[in-house]
Amino acid sequence: MSEEKPEQISSIIEENKDQKIILPLQTDSKQAFCVALPVSGGRPFKMTGDNPHDFISFLKDSSVAWINFPVQDIKKDADLIAMSLGFSSSLVPTLLSSYLSAYEDRDTEMGLMLPAVAVKKFDVLISPILILIRKDLIVTIHEDNVTRLMRLSRYADAFMRKIKPTLILEDKITIILTRIIDENINRNFDHLRQIESQGDELSKILIDPHIPRGMIAPEIHNMKHALISYMDTLWATLDVVNSLRHGDAELMTDNPKLLARMGILSDDVNRHIALSEHMSDVLASGLEVLQSIYNNQLQILNNRLALVMTWLTILGTAVLVPNTIATVLGNSAFNMGAKDQGWYIILLVTSTIFSTWAAYWWVNKKGLMPRKVE
């Protein structure tokens, strides 16, 4: 396989000599890097650059290499980088046209798209990571706000050193690809903890009786939306991993032990999905608690209104009887004067007290008086 390497690199240079791509200069922490295993064996070597063509001559002496490119606009720059490194012009557009994830196997080349998740409170930001594979080359392309593969690059040479030179090329490609996917899955899982932490803060607010309930409902909705978005990325990642396990790609290994690592990745994603679903159940419980609180508050309000209406009924009855007596006796037919003032006042007071007691007794006997108000 190493004898074919110079011819492959020469063909790449020849195909792309008129398509030299100049990418914007980036800071040191955002530079593209390449880690490769030398053809002759020994320690892996590493270099950085700003342009795909910076690595062409570097690849001549490598048996397998991984190049990582951070870009400002993946939709505009990724296709140019891929073609410059010898990939077909339709591979990247096909991957980017999919939702969240994609798997494209073309025998001589393969492309994957995985979601990278970043969570800020309940805002879930999803960015694509493109993984392009040719015979002895893996290229990852992502936007420069995704730093997980940059962190992996710090010890990528130590990881590559553990790859045995005696392995066939497909085994080496599979080992590197598995490590890249595993890093992305683990970094995605870190952000589930942030959603969980925000959920814990929300639960503290939920049990505070002095917090307005109108503030809690939108936060619960935001958390639910964040969980749904996060679980979408997990299912998308699981689709890609399962496609790698069962797709029988020509560029991937047939070694059962190495394919078992893909199975481990699938199990990890399934476990993350189970944890996310558990959080969803906890959230549903929170919604039930909130609904119970609303119902209790509504019942308390109803009890208070019933109490007010009861006393208004009693007072209305108490006023109605003496008012009727006064209206009747005030008629000129009774010819009442100052001499009738004493017994008239006694009659009004007595009728008021009696009618009030009678109204209260009737309401209480019929069970219309609320027994307890909380």
Side-chain angles (χ1 to χ4, degrees), residues 15 80 109 132 137 189 195 221 244 275 306 344 368:
E15 292 172 2
L80 299 176
E109 64 181 8
L132 311 179
L137 176 65
F189 185 57
I195 298 177
H221 168 75
L244 287 171
L275 289 173
Y344 182 70
L368 301 178

Side-chain angles (χ1 to χ4, degrees), residues 31-85:
Q31 280 185 331
F33 68 85
C34 176
V35 182
L37 288 176
V39 174
S40 58
R43 296 173 63 89
F45 41 85
K46 180 178 179 180
M47 72 169 290
T48 59
D50 296 316
N51 191 283
H53 290 271
D54 295 342
F55 303 108
I56 297 296
S57 59
F58 182 72
L59 296 174
K60 291 181 180 180
D61 298 324
S62 65
S63 62
V64 62
W66 168 34
I67 303 178
N68 181 74
F69 268 97
V71 296
Q72 294 181 356
D73 187 346
I74 194 169
K75 292 184 178 180
K76 182 175 71 173
D77 298 331
D79 192 25
L80 299 176
I81 293 172
M83 288 191 296
S84 180
L85 292 172

Side-chain angles (χ1 to χ4, degrees), residues 300-339:
I300 291 172
L301 179 61
N302 288 338
N303 287 345
R304 290 175 177 172
L305 289 177
L307 181 62
V308 171
M309 292 301 297
T310 300
W311 281 108
L312 287 177
T313 301
I314 294 173
L315 294 176
T317 304
V319 172
L320 179 62
V321 174
N323 183 67
T324 303
I325 295 174
T327 302
V328 173
L329 296 180
N331 192 284
S332 58
F334 292 94
N335 193 24
M336 295 182 60
K339 63 181 184 302

Side-chain angles (χ1 to χ4, degrees), residues 118-133:
V119 177
K120 296 181 179 179
K121 197 176 180 182
F122 289 141
D123 293 331
V124 179
L125 308 177
I126 303 174
S127 302
I129 296 179
L130 298 181
I131 305 176
L132 311 179
I133 304 171

Side-chain angles (χ1 to χ4, degrees), residues 89-99 101-104 106 113:
S89 59
S90 61
L91 180 59
V92 169
T94 300
L95 296 175
L96 291 176
S97 65
S98 301
Y99 174 69
S101 68
Y103 173 85
E104 187 76 12
R106 300 184 176 181
M113 183 174 70

